[in-house]
Amino acid sequence: MTKNTTTKPEGSVSEQTRYFISSLPLNVKEIARIIREHWMVESAHWHLDVTFREDTNRTLDRMAAFNLNILRKLVLNFLKIMDLTEFKGPISLKTKRFITSCNPTKYLQQLLTL
């Protein structure tokens, strides 16, 4: 069981309790690490689906699907660290992908130096 307390700007406080069922021996730090690692993986899968619509991919050849997955993960990491300072404000990964695909030669040097 974990408890999470959140204070909103207007002053209200909300508390959330989460319960986890496991056959692991009770070690709070180890269980917390496992949960964080799980959500880190889930976050990566969510980014792959939102940015590249990976869940709708219907590649039948297993090796081709494996290679496409590796390329998507590589490009996802590039997009996360790419610097598009000529645009104001935060830019989503999907928008970064669109911007760089419209003019790839403009961003090639930055990509190669990463």
Side-chain angles (χ1 to χ4, degrees):
M1 176 179 81
T2 61
K3 289 190 177 193
N4 184 17
T5 305
T6 306
T7 305
K8 296 181 180 170
E10 63 271 3
S12 64
V13 176
S14 66
E15 188 173 286
Q16 183 181 51
T17 303
R18 296 180 182 162
Y19 296 92
F20 300 95
I21 299 173
S22 174
S23 61
L24 293 173
L26 185 59
N27 180 346
V28 176
K29 288 185 179 183
E30 183 68 17
I31 291 173
R33 184 189 62 78
I34 291 169
I35 292 168
R36 281 192 302 274
E37 285 179 2
H38 169 76
W39 284 110
M40 188 171 61
V41 170
E42 286 298 323
S43 175
H45 286 154
W46 181 82
H47 277 294
L48 287 169
D49 188 38
V50 169
T51 307
F52 298 105
R53 299 182 52 87
E54 190 175 54
D55 287 349
T56 61
N57 182 25
R58 300 291 179 237
T59 305
L60 297 177
D61 184 82
R62 290 180 73 113
M63 188 53 74
F66 179 77
N67 290 337
L68 285 171
N69 180 265
I70 290 173
L71 287 173
R72 285 187 196 105
K73 288 176 182 173
L74 179 69
V75 171
L76 182 66
N77 287 322
F78 283 148
L79 290 174
K80 284 182 178 181
I81 59 177
M82 279 200 75
D83 184 26
L84 300 177
T85 54
E86 66 264 21
F87 299 97
K88 294 180 182 175
I91 302 173
S92 71
L93 296 176
K94 195 172 186 178
T95 304
K96 279 185 177 182
R97 189 187 92 187
F98 177 75
I99 291 169
T100 55
S101 67
C102 287
N103 191 357
T105 55
K106 180 178 179 180
Y107 301 102
L108 185 61
Q109 183 61 38
Q110 182 181 356
L111 178 68
L112 294 174
T113 58
L114 293 177

